[in-house]
Amino acid sequence: MKHALRILIVDDSPEDAALIARQLLQEFAPSYERVETAEEMSLALDKGGWHLVVSDWVMPRFSGLAALQLLHEREVDIPFIMVSGQMGEDVAVEAMRAGAHDFLIKDHLSRLVPAIKRELNEAVVRRERNLAEDALTATEARFQSLVEQSLVGIFLLQDDIFTYVNPKFAEVFGYRQDQLTEKMSLLELVTRDDQIRVSTQFLRPLQQGSTSLHFSFRGRRQDQQRIELEVNGTRTQLNGSPAVIGTLLDVTERKRAEEELSKLWRAVEQSPVSIVITDLAGRIEYVNPRVAEVTGYSETELVGQNPRILKSGTMGGDFYQNLWQTISSGREWHGELHNRKKNGDLFWESGCISAVKNSEGRITHFVAVKEDITERKLSVDHLRQVQKMEAIGQLAGGIAHDFNNLLTIINGYSTLIIKGLEPGTPMRKEAEQILRAGERAADLTRQLLSFSRRQIQEPKVLNINTQVQSAEKMLRRLIGEHIELVTELATEVGLIKMDPGHVEQVIMNLVVNARDASENGGRITIETGNCQLDEDFTQQHPGSVAGSYVRVTVRDQGQGMSEEVKRRLFEPFFTTKEMGRGTGLGLATVYGIVKQSGGYIDVVSQPGQGASFDIYLPRVYQPADTLKRPASEDPSRGNHTILVVEDEPGVLNLVVHTLRKRGYQVLETTDPELGVEIFEENQNQIDMLLTDVVMPFMSGPTLAELLTRKKPGLKVLFMSGHAENRASLEKILEQGVPFLPKPFASDTLISKVKETLAGSPLQPGPEVSGGSH
């Protein structure tokens, strides 16, 4: 016998309603009423006795969702099935979320009967559950108030669905109680990332026999905000069936505070600055790892100690008294501290020390935040020293430049006078005194140019060992018998590219300086070797550049130097020797030559412990050059025609006079443009151009470029005191173009002219602008 079934059909189509009724005849004896507005549905619900509501999704004056809402508002607990001809997945999901028990497509009503059977059975189960809950509520009435007012969330789960949640539980998730009870499961309140973990490690163990569990997970509120939760669950029985009763606590704020504290702790522990906390008496209670890195003391060695363990002794008592008075009064102290590491090394720290106060405003601790600024101070000191040296060098270079022209005239004419006087005559002796003074002045200007890095170089690829060995005999004579000279030369030392004369100057000046520092004798050692400067070295030695170098070390056992002397060591005219024992230009010359060659100088010295000068010269990987021996004086007379272009009249007259005395035909001018005209008129007779590097209106290299294009076989000799655009000129000189540095003697001029005339002509090339003449 078929069961009677009273159906309320919400549909605007009588045919669709009849179709649904015919479909149900298979299993039931259906009777139905069709409504299509909210008013009609309300009147029908007033009659009561309905087993089921079947509703279309969209109607002209009503909708399935509105029907479902109306059913909920009337609190009628009967199955509600949505049937539509256009229901897609998104519509079905919306319907189910709204509370529909099932959804069907009108063209596929074969599932209608099974769905109704299921929903009718579930309705019976729900009614029975409600009856059981009512009984339970009546039995536990005395505990209801306590549970409802609890500050801890309390819940009951049965078949994974909440059968009860207290107000606090609903508040934690942002729902009403009725939105959770009988509608949602615990997993729906868990973030997607934690759902599997909650299911397998909390719910399933409780369902399978665990008596109680404590668990932490991340929940999701109704507004999608994530929260941190701790839950305690216990297996129990509810109406004879397994259930889970539990408590839940929102620990989001606690977790956030713990994370903030942990973050702060990690920041302090990993901080690149030193952090020290002391008690009111100044005893260290905490140091972060950076303190140990900077000071060399371990945390164990520092905790319990007073910060005075780091005192260097270089700062007075007034300094520390002011510091203590500042922080004791609750004010912040800012400044720099000169401290000492465990190994005795001194270092600088810039820091801030302040008081830590409790909620009542009382000082409980002191905290110091400090940064190691040793390298920064070294860099600043180095920069300041470099700037000072550059300024002095610029002045020195300018003076040397002007003096070179004057000394060329003085020394040149002195030489000519001497050659014209009989040996031993009083006049010749007086002229020789003038020449000696001029040569000493020329030597000073060369040193000034070397220091100011304005001296023209003729660099060659050299083996430093060969240079040391060639100078060794002369060096032994310089230092005297009371000092031992030792050379320790590396067997496979690399090559460098420098002017050979400059290399000799560096070695000689360093050895002479070592001799003067070794009044009581001892040993001077010259050592060579290859080395690689890395980033660590460059960070500790401002001004150095990482790369491959050849090292030359000159080490003595003399009196050593203080820090103050080392700071001023390379300043020109600075000397610690008594009056008359030195010009103060020796080490300044070394500094200029090494810097001009792209190298670096490191000095290690302490009072009473000698000194070590390490010179690092860039290593090159080119074949070594063959050095020419100086030519002996050739008394023969010349028979060539030379065009001399020099804008300094005094120098021009000297050069012309010297050349004519040796038989050369000379055409002369102070104007390079006029020199071009003279050349064009006498092109066939002119064999060589002798020109200054820089002159008004046209530079010497530009003039040479122009004339060698007119006459490719023309020989060219440049002369100059120094050039501002030194690098450009040196590129020409590297190609083998002859060069005569000012000041020069007449014999040197003649020798260089003969050498140039005997050599290869200058090949036409790109114009090069020079510097000062």
Side-chain angles (χ1 to χ4, degrees):
M1 182 178 177
K2 296 180 181 180
H3 294 284
L5 185 64
R6 292 191 69 233
I7 310 171
L8 177 59
I9 298 178
V10 185
D11 202 320
D12 61 328
S13 172
E15 292 80 6
D16 288 347
L19 180 63
I20 291 170
R22 283 197 302 271
Q23 187 72 23
L24 296 178
L25 285 172
Q26 301 173 19
E27 295 286 339
F28 303 100
S31 61
Y32 71 92
E33 179 179 342
R34 184 182 68 83
V35 298
E36 54 181 285
T37 66
E39 293 77 10
E40 292 174 355
M41 183 175 176
S42 295
L43 292 173
L45 289 176
D46 290 341
K47 299 175 185 177
W50 302 105
H51 296 114
L52 179 70
V53 175
V54 177
S55 175
D56 194 1
W57 173 251
V58 178
M59 293 167 282
R61 294 180 292 169
F62 204 26
S63 69
L65 286 178
L68 183 57
Q69 184 177 356
L70 181 59
L71 191 67
H72 288 165
E73 290 174 355
R74 298 289 292 264
E75 296 183 352
V76 179
D77 185 15
I78 57 176
F80 186 101
I81 296 176
M82 197 76 75
V83 178
S84 175
Q86 57 180 0
M87 185 173 292
E89 183 179 340
D90 54 342
V91 176
V93 170
E94 186 177 0
M96 296 300 288
R97 284 181 174 173
H101 294 88
D102 208 340
F103 63 91
L104 300 171
I105 305 299
K106 286 184 178 181
D107 293 342
H108 299 83
L109 292 177
S110 58
R111 206 164 56 81
L112 180 60
V113 171
I116 290 175
K117 283 183 176 182
R118 183 189 69 242
E119 293 305 325
L120 290 175
N121 289 334
E122 288 187 1
V124 172
V125 172
R126 283 198 300 274
R127 284 193 292 274
E128 290 176 351
R129 183 186 301 143
N130 290 336
L131 291 173
E133 288 176 354
D134 290 343
L136 180 62
T137 302
T139 304
E140 299 177 346
R142 65 182 117 177
F143 299 110
Q144 187 64 34
S145 177
L146 176 63
V147 171
E148 291 289 308
Q149 297 177 28
S150 173
L151 297 178
V152 176
I154 299 173
F155 66 93
L156 271 169
L157 279 173
Q158 194 166 45
D159 297 328
D160 290 336
I161 300 296
F162 291 116
T163 58
Y164 170 77
V165 296
N166 73 338
K168 184 62 179 178
F169 186 95
E171 178 190 328
V172 167
F173 290 98
Y175 288 94
R176 300 189 310 274
Q177 288 173 270
D178 62 324
Q179 290 176 299
L180 297 172
T181 304
E182 302 294 346
K183 294 183 178 66
M184 296 182 69
S185 67
L186 180 62
L187 290 179
E188 292 178 79
L189 303 177
V190 179
T191 60
R192 183 172 299 178
D193 294 341
D194 282 2
Q195 284 179 347
I196 294 177
R197 200 166 57 87
V198 171
S199 176
T200 58
Q201 298 179 31
F202 181 70
L203 293 175
R204 190 178 299 167
L206 287 173
Q207 293 166 354
Q208 293 177 353
S210 293
T211 55
S212 63
L213 282 176
H214 178 80
F215 199 71
S216 297
F217 67 93
R218 287 169 297 178
R220 184 178 59 221
R221 288 171 49 85
Q222 187 179 28
D223 59 10
Q224 302 305 309
Q225 181 183 344
R226 291 191 171 198
I227 50 178
E228 298 286 341
L229 303 166
E230 287 185 358
V231 63
N232 286 285
T234 302
R235 181 181 174 86
T236 187
Q237 291 286 322
L238 183 61
N239 300 326
S241 299
V244 174
I245 184 171
T247 59
L248 179 135
L249 188 63
D250 183 355
V251 295
T252 305
E253 290 303 320
R254 192 187 78 192
K255 287 273 190 181
R256 185 175 292 116
E258 289 175 353
E259 287 178 3
E260 289 297 323
L261 186 59
S262 175
K263 188 191 302 180
L264 177 61
W265 179 258
R266 289 195 303 272
V268 170
E269 286 285 292
Q270 299 172 23
S271 173
V273 298
S274 299
I275 299 176
V276 180
I277 299 176
T278 72
D279 62 13
L280 282 175
R283 287 184 295 270
I284 297 173
E285 292 187 353
Y286 169 79
V287 294
N288 70 339
R290 180 60 178 164
V291 177
E293 292 176 20
V294 172
T295 67
Y297 289 99
S298 66
E299 179 185 357
T300 306
E301 290 174 312
L302 289 172
V303 171
Q305 296 286 341
N306 190 287
R308 69 172 63 96
I309 191 176
L310 300 175
K311 273 189 177 181
S312 63
T314 61
M315 310 188 84
D318 292 344
F319 173 85
Y320 293 104
Q321 184 177 359
N322 173 262
L323 186 158
W324 183 253
Q325 288 176 349
T326 300
I327 62 176
S328 297
S329 64
R331 292 176 290 135
E332 286 188 1
W333 177 88
H334 296 266
E336 294 181 355
L337 295 159
H338 201 199
N339 287 334
R340 188 182 300 276
K341 300 183 180 183
K342 183 179 179 180
N343 63 4
D345 292 346
L346 298 179
F347 67 103
W348 282 95
E349 288 184 302
S350 174
C352 167
I353 305 175
S354 58
V356 179
K357 301 176 181 178
N358 60 16
S359 58
E360 300 172 356
R362 186 167 52 85
I363 297 175
T364 60
H365 294 81
F366 297 108
V367 59
V369 180
K370 302 179 292 181
E371 180 184 7
D372 185 351
I373 60 169
T374 308
E375 289 186 13
R376 188 191 310 164
K377 286 185 76 70
L378 286 174
S379 297
V380 170
D381 289 345
H382 173 76
L383 178 61
R384 188 179 295 117
Q385 186 72 3
V386 166
Q387 290 173 337
K388 181 169 66 175
M389 299 284 272
E390 288 292 338
I392 298 174
Q394 191 169 2
L395 174 63
I399 294 172
H401 148 247
D402 291 332
F403 268 86
N404 271 334
N405 280 328
L406 297 174
L407 290 170
T408 299
I409 300 169
I410 293 170
N411 293 354
Y413 279 111
S414 297
T415 303
L416 292 176
I417 291 171
I418 291 170
K419 286 184 179 294
L421 296 172
E422 291 294 328
T425 62
M427 186 72 73
R428 177 163 179 152
K429 290 180 180 179
E430 292 168 356
E432 287 172 347
Q433 288 294 331
I434 296 173
L435 180 58
R436 275 195 289 271
E439 288 174 343
R440 286 181 60 192
D443 185 57
L444 285 175
T445 58
R446 277 193 295 272
Q447 292 185 66
L448 286 171
L449 286 173
S450 295
F451 163 72
S452 60
R453 286 174 265 172
R454 286 167 170 78
Q455 192 168 14
I456 302 300
Q457 294 192 92
E458 296 185 73
K460 306 291 182 183
V461 178
L462 309 171
N463 183 308
I464 191 67
N465 289 353
T466 303
Q467 298 302 114
V468 173
Q469 289 165 347
S470 64
E472 189 173 352
K473 186 175 181 180
M474 176 184 61
L475 293 174
R476 292 187 187 278
R477 289 199 303 267
L478 275 176
I479 63 176
E481 296 180 356
H482 69 297
I483 299 175
E484 180 186 4
L485 180 65
V486 177
T487 56
E488 298 176 357
L489 310 181
T491 54
E492 297 184 2
V493 71
L495 301 178
I496 60 173
K497 190 168 187 178
M498 282 184 66
D499 188 307
H502 288 181
V503 176
E504 183 178 299
Q505 272 187 283
V506 168
I507 296 172
M508 184 181 301
N509 281 330
L510 289 178
V511 170
V512 168
N513 184 74
R515 177 202 66 186
D516 293 342
S518 307
E519 294 180 349
N520 298 323
R523 179 186 298 120
I524 296 175
T525 303
I526 303 176
E527 180 183 315
T528 63
N530 303 319
C531 67
Q532 190 78 19
L533 301 187
D534 55 19
E535 293 298 332
D536 289 341
F537 183 93
T538 59
Q539 288 178 4
Q540 297 173 21
H541 298 80
S544 61
V545 179
S548 297
Y549 291 84
V550 173
R551 176 182 52 80
V552 184
T553 298
V554 176
R555 188 166 46 247
D556 65 63
Q557 298 173 330
Q559 59 194 13
M561 291 173 279
S562 66
E563 290 297 322
E564 176 61 26
V565 170
K566 280 197 290 184
R567 274 195 293 272
R568 302 189 59 192
L569 195 59
F570 298 114
E571 292 181 14
F573 310 114
F574 172 75
T575 179
T576 58
K577 303 168 189 175
E578 63 270 19
M579 186 70 68
R581 281 200 61 191
T583 62
L585 284 173
L587 292 181
T589 301
V590 171
Y591 175 88
I593 291 173
V594 172
K595 288 295 183 182
Q596 188 172 347
S597 303
Y600 178 73
I601 308 176
D602 185 31
V603 182
V604 179
S605 180
Q606 290 184 7
Q609 298 185 24
S612 177
F613 287 76
D614 293 319
I615 310 296
Y616 297 93
L617 301 171
R619 184 174 180 176
V620 298
Y621 296 89
Q622 303 171 18
D625 290 324
T626 302
L627 302 182
K628 299 178 182 178
R629 294 181 175 273
S632 57
E633 183 177 352
D634 183 0
S636 63
R637 296 174 62 80
N639 57 359
H640 295 81
T641 300
I642 301 173
L643 172 61
V644 181
V645 184
E646 163 64 64
D647 65 316
E648 176 61 44
V651 176
L652 177 65
N653 292 336
L654 170 67
V655 171
V656 170
H657 180 71
T658 303
L659 292 174
R660 284 176 175 164
K661 283 192 67 175
R662 296 302 292 266
Y664 292 99
Q665 301 297 315
V666 181
L667 302 174
E668 62 185 281
T669 179
T670 57
D671 183 352
E673 293 182 346
L674 182 58
V676 176
E677 296 179 10
I678 294 172
F679 181 82
E680 290 175 344
E681 294 173 1
N682 303 275
Q683 180 173 335
N684 294 331
Q685 290 77 34
I686 296 174
D687 301 298
M688 189 184 87
L689 169 67
L690 173 57
T691 177
D692 194 10
V693 171
V694 171
M695 299 169 290
F697 312 117
M698 186 184 299
S699 71
T702 303
L703 176 63
E705 166 75 10
L706 181 62
L707 299 189
T708 53
R709 289 193 182 280
K710 295 177 179 294
K711 185 175 183 178
L714 181 69
K715 307 295 179 64
V716 176
L717 172 61
F718 290 124
M719 57 182 171
S720 179
H722 77 85
E724 293 293 345
N725 198 346
R726 177 177 43 79
S728 299
L729 179 59
E730 287 178 356
K731 286 183 180 179
I732 293 181
L733 300 184
E734 285 183 12
Q735 301 170 9
V737 179
F739 174 71
L740 181 63
K742 297 178 183 178
F744 49 78
S746 58
D747 291 343
T748 306
L749 170 64
I750 297 300
S751 175
K752 201 69 178 180
V753 166
K754 289 184 176 181
E755 178 186 321
T756 303
L757 287 168
S760 301
L762 174 65
Q763 297 301 317
E767 178 184 336
V768 179
S769 61
S772 300
H773 56 288

